[in-house]
Amino acid sequence: MTTTGGTNGTGGTGPTGINELLDRVRAELDRLSPYEARDAADAGALLVDIRYQALRERDGLIPGAVVVERNELEWRLDPHGSHRLPEATGHDLRVVVVCNEGYASSLAAVSLRQLGLNGATDLVGGFQAWRAAGLPVAPWTPEAGAPALPEVHRAPAPQ
């Protein structure tokens, strides 16, 4: 992914590489550790898992997280959108985006901020960091929650 017209990290203008782009967008985010993300969810933040289905099936889900495919994220979380999730209640919603390792989620969180969701951020290290921290993981099942909309699933809450 490249952009033109910006700085290239060396003071000049031209294409920006992905590493420079990530550095730039992450400077806009208050990224969360796995424990901070858990605490944010406990305080009412919406955890949004954007990993693709094969990874969810292989590794499981964060209990209580909403699963939204990356290509639908903005449509599902835009509070004014016709395809929004019921949880997309307003621009003040705190959203923590979770991908597999914490790369795509940074770009996704900044995209949500461009929609006016200024509380959007992401999980440093993604799902893998969550699991490595020993935080709860639920196995994937087709019954992991009745989807409110196509391709939207919820992991079962801990009992």
Side-chain angles (χ1 to χ4, degrees):
M1 176 177 191
T2 61
T3 59
T4 57
T7 64
N8 63 7
T10 61
T13 60
T16 299
I18 188 62
N19 292 330
E20 292 83 8
L21 179 61
L22 275 171
D23 288 344
R24 191 168 57 227
V25 301
R26 285 176 172 168
E28 300 175 31
L29 301 172
D30 178 24
R31 302 181 76 215
L32 303 179
S33 73
Y35 295 108
E36 291 169 329
R38 180 207 52 207
D39 293 347
D42 288 347
L46 183 64
L47 295 183
V48 180
D49 186 340
I50 63 169
R51 294 175 300 142
Y52 55 90
Q53 185 168 339
L55 289 176
R56 296 189 312 263
E57 288 176 358
R58 182 189 77 189
D59 295 336
L61 301 163
I62 296 172
V66 175
V67 175
V68 179
E69 295 285 338
R70 173 60 189 101
N71 63 329
E72 297 182 359
L73 184 66
E74 292 80 1
W75 284 267
R76 300 294 194 208
L77 293 181
D78 178 358
H80 300 297
S82 59
H83 298 293
R84 72 183 176 275
L85 291 172
E87 294 87 351
T89 55
H91 286 98
D92 60 343
L93 179 65
R94 179 75 163 150
V95 177
V96 181
V97 183
V98 180
C99 68
N100 196 47
E101 295 182 344
Y103 295 97
S105 58
S106 295
L107 299 173
V110 168
S111 180
L112 292 175
R113 284 175 169 247
Q114 291 172 339
L115 285 176
L117 292 160
N118 294 324
T121 191
D122 73 324
L123 172 60
V124 175
F127 178 86
Q128 297 306 324
W130 177 279
R131 185 171 63 178
L135 293 171
V137 174
W140 167 263
T141 65
E143 303 81 34
L149 298 167
E151 294 301 314
V152 176
H153 303 278
R154 297 189 202 306
Q159 302 282 338

